[in-house]
């Protein structure tokens, strides 16, 4: 009977019996993980790349459409100036805005009040003086309320800022 007293040989055989150290398992797991990674990359990269390409194409298309629309609208409209042309029946948005901003707050409030009541300036001029005075009184009240709100907002703003500063310091 032969007995091998060499401990190194015995430990080498025992190490090979561990499943994680088995050369066949190690090779199989390496092949499997490599194949899995290759499969994942071959599936995800083209799909993601295709999605990115589609998104980029849509963005480019939107920019191109916008550019064409802007060029068409610029070519269709003549050069505009701040003053609308004499004899033009339609006013531009810029002229409307300029007219609105040139009005005083009282004029804006009066215009809004008349619009709410369904009246025109000509109709108000045709009214008796008492009704005209009543409308003027309503306008004055609204102007007063608006001014009080503005003052309250201005005085509340520093207090709100000090509260914010206090909370930030905490």
């Amino acid at each position: 009977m032969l007995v091998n007293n060499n401990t190194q040989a015995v430990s080498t055989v025992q190490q090979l019996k561990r499943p994680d150290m088995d050369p066949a398992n190690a090779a199989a797991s390496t092949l499997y993980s490599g194949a899995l990674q290759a499969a994942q990359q071959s599936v995800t990269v083209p799909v993601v790349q295709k999605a990115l390409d589609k998104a980029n194409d849509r963005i480019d298309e939107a920019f191109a459409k916008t550019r064409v629309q802007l060029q068409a609208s610029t070519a269709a409209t003549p050069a505009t100036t701040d003053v609308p042309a004499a004899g033009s029946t339609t006013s531009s948005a810029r002229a409307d805005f300029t007219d609105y901003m040139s009005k005083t707050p009282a004029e804006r409030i009066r215009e809004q009040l008349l619009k709410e009541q369904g009246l025109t300036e000509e109709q108000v001029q045709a009214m008796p003086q008492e009704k005209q005075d009543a409308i003027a009184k309503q306008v004055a009240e609204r102007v007063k309320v608006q001014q009080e709100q503005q003052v309250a907002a201005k005085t509340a703003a520093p207090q709100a800022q000090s509260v914010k500063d206090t909370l930030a310091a905490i």
Side-chain angles (χ1 to χ4, degrees):
M1 174 156 120
L2 292 171
V3 176
N4 189 357
N5 288 334
N6 188 352
T7 57
Q8 290 178 347
V10 173
S11 67
T12 304
V13 171
Q14 288 177 349
Q15 287 179 356
L16 291 178
K17 290 185 178 181
R18 288 183 40 197
D20 61 336
M21 296 300 280
D22 184 24
N25 284 344
S29 67
T30 303
L31 287 174
Y32 176 75
S33 66
L36 181 64
Q37 287 177 354
Q40 286 176 345
Q41 288 177 351
S42 68
V43 171
T44 57
V45 170
V47 170
V48 171
Q49 189 64 38
K50 286 179 184 178
L52 287 174
D53 289 343
K54 285 181 182 179
N56 285 335
D57 289 345
R58 286 191 298 261
I59 290 170
D60 291 342
E61 183 180 352
F63 278 123
K65 285 180 180 179
T66 304
R67 183 182 308 145
V68 168
Q69 289 174 349
L70 287 173
Q71 288 174 346
S73 67
T74 304
T77 59
T80 59
T81 59
D82 289 342
V83 180
S88 76
T89 56
T90 59
S91 63
S92 67
R94 183 182 193 118
D96 291 341
F97 178 74
T98 305
D99 292 342
Y100 180 77
M101 292 308 292
S102 66
K103 294 180 183 177
T104 64
E107 290 173 336
R108 292 181 201 158
I109 290 173
R110 179 178 174 90
E111 184 177 292
Q112 181 183 8
L113 180 67
L114 293 178
K115 190 181 291 184
E116 288 172 3
Q117 294 179 357
L119 298 172
T120 64
E121 197 65 43
E122 292 80 24
Q123 291 172 336
V124 172
Q125 296 299 325
M127 289 181 171
Q129 188 62 36
E130 296 84 27
K131 289 190 176 187
Q132 290 180 14
D133 292 341
I135 291 174
K137 187 175 181 180
Q138 288 177 340
V139 170
E141 288 175 7
R142 286 193 182 185
V143 169
K144 183 178 177 183
V145 168
Q146 185 182 27
Q147 287 175 346
E148 289 172 355
Q149 289 174 346
Q150 289 175 350
V151 169
K154 286 181 181 178
T155 57
Q159 292 173 352
Q161 185 63 32
S162 65
V163 169
K164 287 179 184 177
D165 293 340
T166 304
L167 290 176
I170 293 174

